[in-house]
Amino acid sequence: IREGRVQVLVVDRIDRIARHLPTFLEFIDLLRRANVRLVSLREGIDYRKPWGKLVLYILGALAEFYSDVLSQEIRNKRLMDAANGKLAPTYRFGYCKGDCSACTDPNGEQYCPFFGGPDQRGSYFRMAHPIESRAVQMMFDWYAEGRDSYADVARRLNEAICTLPDGTEVRFRTKGRVGVTPPGRFDADAVREIVSNPIYTGRVTYAGSTQDGHKFRQPREVFPGQGLHPALIDDFTFLKAQQIRKSRYARPDSRANPARAFPLSRLLVCAHRHGPLRTHSVGQHRYYMDKVCQLKHGEKHQPHLKAASLEAQVREIVGELQLPEAWIRR
């Protein structure tokens, strides 16, 4: 159009041009300046006449209105699906649709032992992928031990081998993105996305989007799964992993560079000042100390307290506690 090679533009309907009114008007202005005639097959109106121009602008506004209403309906539908326990219709690592006879999963052909066989879904909306589900369980188990970082888990998973029931050995791999990136090796980002996702406990998350189409990255709602997809891990393992994630927020650690744990931090109280003790480390040595008293040289009443001896005393006392059986079950 800008090069002057178009004389007539034919569309099926006006809303096929755009469903955003400013964009629509900008394009119509481009047609006017290039002296290009606009023909809509369904409306059949001459848009060069005043009445036709009025109808054109009204149809453009209605197209945007319809688009906004449709977007809202789609958001409501996805919210209702999440509330009813259905995962979003996107590829989720660890799960598949179970349509083995007509599988289109990126980790299906030449990877999944059920590919091409009878459908496995049954009553599930999504079933556990026979190989990916193992990878998810290994990720959570390793991370919940507290010794591995995201990168450590990714490295161990890339080195691990999955043995299928028929004895075939395969390497774990990501799902990739359909039409964008093929399945490949795990990295720290992939492990973090999986370890932080509550869908693996059988729940369903909903993030949603704004009216202008901007998608929220973090889930805003978490719903019970209604049994439409199996839980790959238990709640205790998931909560333990989230506690480790939270404790590492300000100080990431790994096997090569482990963090020094101070389990009694802000639990011990100075008997002199009645304030919580802080932590301090020098080399491989850990201490608890009252920082305020240390700063006031006239009130320095005790040296740094060795963390190992204090923790041993507390461990011995706590180990003597007897919890009722009902508390343990709860």
Side-chain angles (χ1 to χ4, degrees):
I1 293 174
R2 290 192 178 96
E3 294 175 357
R5 296 188 296 163
V6 178
Q7 296 177 345
V8 179
L9 175 65
V10 182
V11 296
D12 180 54
R13 287 199 315 255
I14 288 299
D15 60 3
R16 298 295 86 193
I17 297 177
R19 288 190 172 178
H20 180 240
L21 186 57
T23 304
F24 175 80
L25 296 177
E26 182 180 354
F27 184 73
I28 295 300
D29 184 63
L30 173 64
L31 297 180
R32 181 186 57 79
R33 287 185 280 106
N35 196 26
V36 175
R37 182 184 177 189
L38 175 62
V39 175
S40 175
L41 299 181
R42 297 203 183 188
E43 283 83 10
I45 299 175
D46 188 352
Y47 299 113
R48 294 173 296 180
K49 296 181 179 180
W51 177 255
K53 291 181 180 179
L54 176 61
V55 174
L56 176 67
Y57 298 148
I58 293 176
L59 293 177
L62 290 176
E64 181 175 10
F65 171 75
Y66 175 76
S67 177
D68 292 343
V69 171
L70 181 61
S71 298
Q72 183 62 45
E73 292 298 325
I74 293 175
R75 287 195 293 269
N76 293 339
K77 175 64 167 55
R78 291 177 177 174
L79 178 59
M80 291 301 298
D81 285 346
N84 292 328
K86 288 186 178 181
L87 292 175
T90 55
Y91 286 95
R92 296 284 190 175
F93 185 84
Y95 295 101
C96 66
K97 296 180 179 179
D99 300 329
C100 304
S101 59
C103 178
T104 58
D105 193 288
N107 281 341
E109 188 175 4
Q110 298 181 349
Y111 188 73
C112 176
F114 297 153
F115 178 81
D119 295 342
Q120 302 283 331
R121 182 168 59 182
S123 60
Y124 285 127
F125 179 73
R126 292 286 179 89
M127 63 166 285
H129 191 283
I131 300 178
E132 294 177 0
S133 58
R134 297 189 196 179
V136 172
Q137 294 166 356
M138 293 166 67
M139 287 185 202
F140 275 95
D141 290 341
W142 290 340
Y143 191 80
E145 291 175 356
R147 296 193 300 268
D148 293 319
S149 65
Y150 298 130
D152 292 331
V153 173
R155 176 183 52 78
R156 294 180 63 180
L157 202 60
N158 290 328
E159 296 173 354
I161 296 177
C162 179
T163 303
L164 302 179
D166 61 356
T168 305
E169 295 183 346
V170 296
R171 294 279 188 179
F172 293 109
R173 68 187 190 186
T174 64
K175 255 193 204 309
R177 298 177 59 188
V178 179
V180 180
T181 56
R185 294 171 61 85
F186 292 92
D187 56 17
D189 292 335
V191 173
R192 180 179 63 250
E193 292 294 329
I194 293 173
V195 171
S196 61
N197 199 329
I199 69 168
Y200 298 108
T201 62
R203 296 176 173 82
V204 177
T205 61
Y206 174 77
S209 60
T210 60
Q211 292 186 356
D212 58 359
H214 175 72
K215 296 182 179 180
F216 295 103
R217 292 185 57 85
Q218 298 300 326
R220 295 185 297 163
E221 299 283 350
V222 180
F223 300 99
Q226 307 291 342
L228 295 182
H229 68 281
L232 302 184
I233 59 166
D234 57 85
D235 290 337
F236 178 78
T237 303
F238 180 78
L239 291 176
K240 189 175 181 181
Q242 304 320 301
Q243 291 174 350
I244 294 174
R245 290 182 62 246
K246 186 179 296 185
S247 66
R248 290 176 173 177
Y249 180 77
R251 203 283 187 192
D253 63 317
S254 62
R255 283 181 175 265
N257 186 25
R260 295 182 178 89
F262 291 89
L264 301 180
S265 177
R266 303 189 68 82
L267 296 178
L268 296 176
V269 177
C270 174
H272 175 72
R273 196 180 61 86
H274 303 291
L277 298 184
R278 300 297 196 267
T279 60
H280 180 63
S281 61
V282 179
Q284 298 298 322
H285 303 285
R286 299 180 300 115
Y287 299 94
Y288 292 99
M289 54 176 284
D290 190 327
K291 191 172 183 180
V292 175
C293 291
Q294 294 293 331
L295 294 176
K296 297 180 179 179
H297 299 286
E299 298 184 16
K300 185 181 294 186
H301 56 278
Q302 62 183 6
H304 291 358
L305 305 174
K306 292 184 178 180
S309 60
L310 275 178
E311 292 165 5
Q313 295 178 37
V314 174
R315 188 180 303 112
E316 181 179 358
I317 296 173
V318 173
E320 297 176 355
L321 298 177
Q322 298 294 328
L323 297 180
E325 184 67 23
W327 288 22
I328 298 177
R329 288 197 303 268
R330 182 178 178 184

